[in-house]
Amino acid sequence: MLAIEIIEKKKNGLQLTKHEIDFMVEGYTKGLIPDYQMSAFLMSIYFQGMTKEETSNLTLAYVNSGDRVDLSAINGIKVDKHSTGGVGDKISLIVIPLVASVGVPVAKMSGRGLGHTGGTIDKLESIEGFRIELSEEEFNYNVNSYKMAITGQSANLVPADKKTYALRDVTATVNSIPLIASSVMSKKIASGADAIVLDVKVGSGAFMKSIEQAKELAQTMVDIGNSLNRKTVAILSNMNQPLGKEVGNANEIKEAIKVLKGEGEVDETTVALTIASYMAVLGGAFNEFDIAYEKLENIIKSGEAIDKFKELIKIQGGNPEIVDHPNRLPKPKYSIEIKANKSGYIYNIYAEIIGISAMLLGAGRRTKEDKIDYAAGITLNKKIGDKVSIGETICILHTNKEDYNEALERILEAYIISDNQPAREQFIYEIIK
Ligand code: URA
């Protein structure tokens, strides 16, 4: 088999066999196929797309490139969730204790930040002592005993995706539906979950900018999951502006605590409860979504949810006192208030620019060697639809960096103020089952 013949075939819009897809993925992972041929292959997929069968085969080829996590030592239906990436997306921090509270085991493997989007693992590391490296025994023990554990992805989980993702990042082939779907689903399948809830973000801060595109991506992922016997549900949620009011690592921990105490913003509370409810239903705790939603709301109201979060921090070595004393989380040296330059309504907040600005303040890594500043981030005092007067604070930048000018310049492009009041934002657009 020759790589050039396979590239030619896809370039001409023909369907590839499983054998041909395996040949490309395995060859590239082992270094037998060079970057330039893989780039051409990815670009041909970008333009010609893939059939359902090809996308499932690509997912399996990715899964088979590395280790598979064996969760068979954990009792019950293991349900995982995955977000396609957003700004201020602290949903995982909220749903882990919530779903565990109703007895569904959450064996969570999470990643670090990617591009302008933050990672759950980085956020949890802002809690002093919190260990994200757990041995397999400790991970399984915690899920069996407390119904929850979170760890970083093992180094050899889907190496084909790791290598291909880095290449897609520099060849303008990230936002292709079959490529995103196989990348996401291969990681979920390799992580060993029995059921999966996907949070597909739509809008200016997401890879999918329109509802139509997001729907197609969601349906593709649900089809892959179902074809591989994983019950899969996808939620299309709004990423036209960051979720909640806090962006950054320690900032997002503080805000997740608020949601778990019942004091959170309505957008993130709604998205978290929706995802947690589907997880609870797929995990067998409830037959119906509405019953699960009501029960989980009550778990927040009763204080059980926040107690479960304290427990998560404690069993992973962190200091649970930060829940009652969030001011013990890392604090920034500088907090710079950004003022409105005109009066009106907040018409738009470009989530991607907020994410990039937070990264420039130190909240994310621009290179692998960069150290994260856990205190860095942005507080959004005003969100879309809010009224502002000239000179009023619209957001606050937090950093330990003396030189924050680049972030300051970018942040001014993120907020659009208009005389017209925008239409009400919807938090959840659709559910794909
Ligand atoms: N998240 C992933 O894991 N992969 C993609 O391709 C895009 C978002």
Side-chain angles (χ1 to χ4, degrees):
M1 219 179 265
L2 289 175
I4 186 171
E5 287 174 340
I6 300 172
I7 300 167
E8 184 79 32
K9 197 171 164 185
K10 184 70 330 207
K11 188 183 81 179
N12 293 328
L14 300 173
Q15 178 162 342
L16 301 179
T17 65
K18 177 169 176 5
H19 197 45
E20 287 164 337
I21 292 172
D22 285 346
F23 177 84
M24 290 304 291
V25 171
E26 210 182 306
Y28 182 60
T29 314
K30 289 186 174 156
L32 304 172
I33 292 175
D35 280 351
Y36 53 82
Q37 282 193 310
M38 196 60 179
S39 306
F41 182 60
L42 293 168
M43 194 57 92
S44 67
I45 295 174
Y46 180 90
F47 281 113
Q48 293 293 0
M50 277 187 143
T51 63
K52 266 189 193 181
E53 196 183 336
E54 285 178 301
T55 313
S56 284
N57 284 333
L58 182 61
T59 308
L60 278 180
Y62 277 164
V63 172
N64 293 333
S65 70
D67 298 340
R68 273 184 189 233
V69 180
D70 179 7
L71 297 180
S72 59
I74 298 171
N75 311 316
I77 304 171
K78 278 76 70 181
V79 190
D80 202 352
K81 74 144 292 250
H82 189 88
S83 153
T84 55
V87 180
D89 183 358
K90 63 235 15 126
I91 299 297
S92 288
L93 299 168
I94 305 162
V95 302
I96 296 169
L98 261 182
V99 177
S101 296
V102 292
V104 172
V106 189
K108 189 87 193 78
M109 262 158 241
S110 286
R112 295 193 179 275
L114 189 69
H116 67 279
T117 64
T120 303
I121 290 298
D122 295 329
K123 293 169 197 173
L124 283 167
E125 278 183 344
S126 65
I127 302 173
E128 200 191 335
F130 198 102
R131 286 182 303 114
I132 51 100
E133 308 266 337
L134 302 183
S135 68
E136 196 182 322
E137 291 69 35
E138 189 177 7
F139 184 77
N140 291 349
Y141 176 83
N142 284 2
V143 184
N144 274 331
S145 310
Y146 307 100
K147 300 292 172 205
M148 57 186 174
I150 181 161
T151 184
Q153 263 156 23
S154 88
N156 200 32
L157 196 88
V158 203
D161 175 61
K162 238 174 243 156
K163 199 168 170 192
T164 311
Y165 195 94
L167 189 64
R168 287 167 56 209
D169 211 15
V170 291
T171 55
T173 51
V174 171
N175 59 340
S176 143
I177 287 175
L179 295 179
I180 297 180
S182 49
S183 161
V184 168
M185 291 306 284
S186 60
K187 284 176 282 205
K188 296 294 105 181
I189 308 280
S191 308
D194 302 311
I196 302 155
V197 178
L198 300 163
D199 184 5
V200 179
K201 303 287 189 196
V202 194
S204 68
F207 291 120
M208 296 290 114
K209 308 287 180 204
S210 76
I211 295 186
E212 288 67 37
Q213 280 178 323
K215 217 168 142 175
E216 195 183 332
L217 173 63
Q219 190 65 59
T220 306
M221 294 195 287
V222 168
D223 289 344
I224 296 172
N226 291 338
S227 74
L228 299 173
N229 291 325
R230 305 308 198 278
K231 277 191 210 156
T232 309
V233 173
I235 284 147
L236 262 57
S237 72
N238 186 327
M239 193 34 70
N240 279 327
Q241 61 177 335
L243 263 180
K245 289 195 161 172
E246 299 289 354
V247 176
N249 297 294
N251 276 6
E252 291 191 37
I253 295 281
K254 279 185 207 160
E255 201 169 39
I257 291 171
K258 278 193 176 168
V259 175
L260 288 164
K261 285 182 173 172
E263 299 156 7
E265 297 298 316
V266 62
D267 59 349
E268 56 198 2
T269 305
T270 308
V271 175
L273 279 168
T274 305
I275 290 174
S277 302
Y278 278 109
M279 289 173 78
V281 169
L282 291 182
F286 304 96
N287 289 328
E288 281 176 42
F289 171 82
D290 291 345
I291 297 172
Y293 199 98
E294 200 185 321
K295 174 73 184 167
L296 291 170
E297 265 184 317
N298 285 333
I299 281 179
I300 291 180
K301 275 190 206 135
S302 70
E304 232 180 294
I306 194 65
D307 286 347
K308 200 71 187 161
F309 189 56
K310 275 187 196 165
E311 185 174 70
L312 176 69
I313 297 175
K314 193 164 163 216
I315 59 178
Q316 300 220 189
N319 181 1
E321 284 176 20
I322 60 111
V323 169
D324 295 318
H325 305 281
N327 59 348
R328 294 190 192 162
L329 283 161
K331 279 193 274 298
K333 229 195 235 170
Y334 307 103
S335 288
I336 309 110
E337 295 193 11
I338 309 294
K339 313 277 187 189
N341 54 8
K342 62 184 268 197
S343 298
Y345 293 95
I346 305 292
Y347 202 79
N348 215 341
I349 305 175
Y350 289 107
E352 186 168 355
I353 303 180
I354 299 281
I356 292 169
S357 305
M359 201 164 78
L360 292 170
L361 293 167
R365 293 180 187 83
R366 279 185 292 177
T367 67
K368 265 199 230 156
E369 289 71 36
D370 264 3
K371 271 207 144 123
I372 286 196
D373 172 0
Y374 293 106
I378 300 172
T379 302
L380 307 171
N381 298 45
K382 298 284 179 187
K383 300 252 331 220
I384 294 180
D386 287 348
K387 217 171 172 181
V388 277
S389 304
I390 187 164
E392 213 181 334
T393 301
I394 48 175
C395 68
I396 307 172
L397 312 185
H398 308 283
T399 188
N400 281 304
K401 284 189 182 173
E402 311 247 313
D403 180 8
Y404 44 76
N405 279 330
E406 210 181 333
L408 202 63
E409 276 166 30
R410 294 306 299 269
I411 200 79
L412 296 172
E413 301 162 16
Y415 268 90
I416 308 294
I417 301 174
S418 161
D419 293 338
N420 305 319
Q421 188 167 17
R424 234 176 154 35
E425 288 280 305
Q426 210 175 319
F427 308 133
I428 310 263
Y429 297 113
E430 213 161 315
I431 312 290
I432 312 276
K433 293 186 194 170

